[in-house]
Amino acid sequence: MHLTLLARLATATGLIAVSSVAMAAEVNVYSSRHYDSDDALYEEFTKETGITVNRIEGEADELIARLKAEGDNSPADVFITVDAGRMARAEEAGVLQPFKGDVIDHAVPSHLRHPDDLWFGVSQRARIIFYSKDRVENPPRTYEELADPKYEGQICIRSSSNVYNQSLMASIIEADGVDAARDWAKGIVANLARAPQGGDSDQLRGIVSGECDIAVANHYYFLRGFDSDVEGLSADIGSIGWVWPNQSGRGAHLNLTAAAMAKAAPHPEEAQALLDFLTGEFAQQHFATQNNEYPAVPGIGLDEDTARLGFFVPDTQTPTTAYSDNAKAAQEIFNEVNWQ
Ligand code: FE2
């Protein structure tokens, strides 16, 4: 009798333990974003929904390979990357499934979404031209002009292994064709002030140190120079000017932070809730203020610092799918012209 009671208790306790595990709502995110500030974003989501967010961070290509290798057993629910080209690679790898568009399709403009709802842009980053106000009277007004021989020995841009440059090159192939893009890349290499090195902040530092007169970088690296004390940059940030490129043509090159539902998502409802949350006001404000990005959802106010860069025409003509469609051709051109 006594034993039976104990057994019953154990069974009951076991059942309680099992059901509490099943009820603990969670969502697993594979993300190539690596900002500490994103903690606040996920904490808010948990506060609003009771769903715990487990994050695995890594390089986008590694995460895609991992998703593929894990297949149907993958614990991933949501995939987030900071490059539209990588998202298209995830699509090609067959590791995504369509989300429900009820909320997202109404919030995010169609040019920032996959046509079959396989992924959507959460926020946008612009890759633009910076220059020394003291040393450059007539900065390039277009990406194409960066290759003009009159800028020989003046330009700093990071290496071709960087995904931001790969997507920029892919967009130039899309706009101008492969032959013109190759000539452009040759021109850039001929105009380099130094061998490609460092990250985007280092290109801007090069303007301050005098090594570079003109640099290409994502807009938020410049804004960080205003916001915080970036060594070698903030003290002289006022000496750097910026150009929104191609404003009378196709517009400035943008890339996306993009999110998607993973193919084998074990928690599809929680995944959907998180994706919907990313288009809401809290999340959109977060992207606008924490990393000075441009919100994907229209009508969200910009951060004060971001607004300082002024209005611009974004390139909405080049489909973001071109970033992956042209990735191979872009790599071939980089190799051919010896862009390190
Ligand atoms: Fe970045």
Side-chain angles (χ1 to χ4, degrees), residues 16 25 27 29 59 63 71 81 90 110 116 124 133 148 179 199 209 253-255 266 287 301 304 308 320 324:
I16 287 161
V27 62
V29 178
E59 210 270 313
L63 292 175
T81 176
S110 60
D116 300 323
Q124 308 174 81
K133 287 188 203 164
D148 191 310
D179 291 336
S209 71
H253 172 73
L254 294 180
N255 213 327
F287 292 114
E304 228 172 85
R308 159 199 317 262
T320 43
S324 64

Side-chain angles (χ1 to χ4, degrees), residues 24-338:
E26 58 177 2
V27 62
N28 300 323
V29 178
Y30 281 18
S31 173
S32 67
R33 273 176 72 95
H34 48 84
Y35 305 119
D36 292 342
S37 60
D38 280 354
D39 290 347
L41 179 72
Y42 295 120
E43 277 164 20
E44 175 65 21
F45 174 70
T46 303
K47 205 173 98 190
E48 287 182 19
T49 61
I51 300 168
T52 306
V53 179
N54 307 310
R55 242 190 312 171
I56 288 181
E57 293 183 354
E59 210 270 313
D61 284 333
E62 286 166 18
L63 292 175
I64 293 168
R66 182 166 170 173
L67 281 162
K68 213 176 166 183
E70 289 169 344
D72 291 346
N73 298 320
S74 176
D77 293 302
V78 167
F79 175 57
I80 295 175
T81 176
V82 292
D83 171 67
R86 291 296 194 276
M87 197 50 104
R89 267 183 219 180
E91 179 191 346
E92 277 162 31
V95 297
L96 307 179
Q97 66 168 310
F99 53 77
K100 290 197 183 78
D102 313 32
V103 173
I104 296 162
D105 293 352
H106 287 104
V108 179
S110 60
H111 73 277
L112 301 177
R113 273 189 277 122
H114 184 277
D116 300 323
D117 285 348
L118 279 180
W119 52 262
F120 67 97
V122 171
S123 60
Q124 308 174 81
R125 46 261 309 280
R127 192 149 188 77
I128 65 174
I129 297 168
F130 297 93
Y131 64 96
S132 159
K133 287 188 203 164
D134 302 332
R135 301 187 298 279
V136 182
E137 231 174 88
N138 295 305
R141 294 288 157 192
T142 63
Y143 299 105
E144 285 76 4
E145 263 186 70
L146 286 163
D148 191 310
K150 72 180 173 204
Y151 298 117
E152 191 184 346
Q154 296 191 61
I155 291 171
C156 286
I157 186 165
R158 68 200 283 184
S159 84
S160 63
S161 63
N162 169 252
V163 70
Y164 302 150
N165 281 346
Q166 290 165 7
S167 288
L168 175 63
M169 176 68 92
S171 77
I172 285 169
I173 292 171
E174 192 70 12
D176 302 334
V178 172
D179 291 336
R182 187 183 301 108
D183 288 343
W184 178 78
K186 269 184 206 155
I188 296 284
V189 171
N191 285 348
L192 288 178
R194 62 182 185 193
Q197 55 190 264
D200 277 9
S201 297
D202 296 307
Q203 316 311 313
L204 299 171
R205 284 191 182 101
I207 294 179
V208 169
S209 71
E211 252 190 295
C212 324
D213 295 328
I214 297 162
V216 176
N218 282 1
H219 78 279
Y220 50 86
Y221 291 96
F222 177 65
L223 293 174
R224 273 180 209 164
F226 276 108
D227 267 7
S228 46
D229 192 13
V230 181
E231 204 195 320
L233 182 60
S234 294
D236 286 306
I237 195 85
S239 69
I240 300 178
W242 67 91
V243 172
W244 284 104
N246 299 63
Q247 292 301 281
S248 49
R250 66 183 182 272
H253 172 73
L254 294 180
N255 213 327
L256 299 175
T257 291
M261 193 179 300
K263 177 99 178 268
H267 311 102
E269 276 171 34
E270 288 80 358
Q272 183 69 46
L274 179 57
L275 294 175
D276 289 347
F277 171 79
L278 292 177
T279 69
E281 191 158 354
F282 183 94
Q284 288 293 306
Q285 288 284 0
H286 171 87
F287 292 114
T289 53
Q290 297 301 307
N291 197 36
N292 300 110
E293 289 175 74
Y294 293 94
V297 175
I300 300 289
L302 290 180
D303 180 77
E304 228 172 85
D305 286 312
T306 316
R308 159 199 317 262
L309 291 178
F311 290 103
F312 67 99
V313 178
D315 179 358
T316 54
Q317 292 172 28
T318 309
T320 43
T321 46
Y323 300 178
S324 64
D325 291 346
N326 298 337
K328 194 162 165 266
Q331 195 53 60
E332 280 166 12
I333 289 176
F334 282 133
N335 295 345
E336 270 175 70
V337 305
N338 201 17

